[in-house]
Amino acid sequence: MPRTFAMIKPDAVQAGNVGNIVAHIQTAGFRIVGMKLVQISLQQAQRFYQVHAQRPFYGELVEFMSSGPSVVLALESENAVQKWRDTIGATDPAEAAEGTIRKLYAESKGRNAVHGSDSDENAAIEIAFFFAGTELVG
Ligand code: IDP
Ligand code: MG
């Protein structure tokens, strides 16, 4: 079964929305195969978002991502990557569709509540970045 990588970002953890977002994930039909609370270091955030290193918002992004605890998840379903992107909505909550997680819980384009992988290849890389094999259920 295909997998994707999801993160509940520090803004949503801080706002007390972990439970709401986990419920949304389960209602949407994903099987959670990995989940834990982590405090991401600045260095980890820089590596995780390396692809955006040349973008003007990179410094703000990695500082935000290491500013407080996040919840990381590995999710399984048919078409997991695209299905999770559809469930979270557009990067900017002002452009996110009604009922999507970012529409419901994101504060801004930067503090946008959740992360989702953009390809099967990156999903595998991102799951391995945060989870040991023993932390994922079969
Ligand atoms: P995505 O999370 O929807 O895939 P990306 O373009 O991959 O969006 O950007 C990664 C993250 O960088 C976003 O989720 C958001 O937190 C942050 N970000 C993207 N664009 C901006 C911006 O214009 N200003 C501030 N932060 C941004
Ligand atoms: Mg992205």
Side-chain angles (χ1 to χ4, degrees):
M1 184 68 79
R3 290 179 174 180
T4 193
F5 175 73
M7 193 164 10
I8 303 174
K9 295 185 179 183
D11 60 314
V13 175
Q14 175 68 36
N17 285 322
V18 171
N20 291 329
I21 292 172
V22 171
H24 198 122
I25 287 167
Q26 295 185 304
T27 302
F30 294 94
R31 186 166 84 103
I32 296 171
V33 296
M35 178 166 75
K36 62 184 176 180
L37 184 74
V38 296
Q39 170 71 55
I40 296 172
S41 69
L42 184 62
Q43 290 73 19
Q44 271 183 309
Q46 287 167 338
R47 274 195 291 132
F48 186 79
Y49 281 113
Q50 192 60 46
V51 66
H52 294 309
Q54 304 309 318
R55 307 282 287 276
F57 56 82
Y58 180 68
E60 176 192 330
L61 173 62
V62 298
E63 196 171 305
F64 162 58
M65 291 303 297
S66 58
S67 68
S70 298
V71 174
V72 291
L73 304 104
L75 305 179
E76 223 173 63
S77 87
E78 294 291 355
N79 201 19
V81 167
Q82 188 57 50
K83 181 172 149 135
W84 177 238
R85 296 295 307 199
D86 292 346
T87 302
I88 68 180
T91 307
D92 186 344
E95 291 163 17
E98 285 301 327
T100 60
I101 291 175
R102 282 168 167 169
K103 182 71 173 186
L104 288 165
Y105 303 114
E107 294 174 16
S108 64
K109 192 173 185 183
R111 298 168 62 88
N112 60 358
V114 283
H115 167 84
S117 305
D118 60 11
S119 66
D120 286 347
E121 186 192 1
N122 283 335
I125 291 168
E126 291 173 359
I127 289 170
F129 188 96
F130 280 107
F131 291 100
T134 51
E135 294 176 312
L136 299 166
V137 301

